[in-house]
Amino acid sequence: MKKLYLLALALLANSFVWFANAGELNVSPQKPTALKPIELVYTPSATEKWALTEDVYIYVCLEMDQNGEWVKEKAEWSKCNLPNFKWSKKGGNKLSYTISNLKSYFNLTDAEVPHVTGLFV
């Protein structure tokens, strides 16, 4: 799961290059595990203030075995506008989303859990 955390940080760092006006994403706990809740907290940038008044949805998928392909998506991109994929408004102009645990969220088998190498949000 350390690889998951490092990849999430790498994606966050690269998001500033890809999207100059991106907000800030924090993952808690800082070292997430496959069996414990993971809270994602997003603080929109000044140019993304619309996210605080409109509904915003999340798309999440996993990378397995560092193969560079995102697999085990929670739902197809086109179906991510369902209520269970909606970010919650949080105090302090933030959005939050909680993943109960990666194993149950993605319906992973015990054999698949050790092969998770990244979380894409």
Side-chain angles (χ1 to χ4, degrees):
M1 293 318 298
K2 182 177 178 183
K3 291 178 185 179
L4 168 71
Y5 174 68
L6 293 175
L7 188 59
L9 285 178
L11 288 172
L12 177 62
N14 285 329
S15 69
F16 293 109
V17 174
W18 300 326
F19 306 103
N21 294 320
E24 180 181 349
L25 177 67
N26 290 302
V27 179
S28 179
Q30 289 186 355
K31 295 182 180 180
T33 66
L35 302 175
K36 293 186 180 179
I38 299 168
E39 183 180 24
L40 306 170
V41 177
Y42 186 73
T43 306
S45 69
T47 59
E48 297 175 316
K49 291 302 179 190
W50 57 266
L52 299 172
T53 57
E54 297 180 26
D55 290 341
V56 182
Y57 298 89
I58 191 168
Y59 173 74
V60 185
C61 58
L62 295 176
E63 180 188 56
M64 309 287 278
D65 293 329
Q66 299 179 331
N67 61 6
E69 295 180 27
W70 298 106
V71 296
K72 290 287 184 184
E73 58 190 354
K74 179 60 179 177
E76 295 175 25
W77 181 263
S78 62
K79 296 180 182 176
C80 286
N81 61 345
L82 299 173
N84 53 321
F85 299 116
K86 186 173 156 183
W87 286 86
S88 300
K89 309 282 192 273
K90 192 173 182 172
N93 294 330
K94 297 176 188 239
L95 302 172
S96 73
Y97 188 84
T98 301
I99 296 173
S100 57
N101 67 60
L102 291 177
K103 183 177 178 182
S104 65
Y105 188 78
F106 287 99
N107 196 25
L108 299 174
T109 65
D110 288 335
E112 289 173 320
V113 170
H115 296 282
V116 174
T117 54
L119 174 69
F120 176 80
V121 177

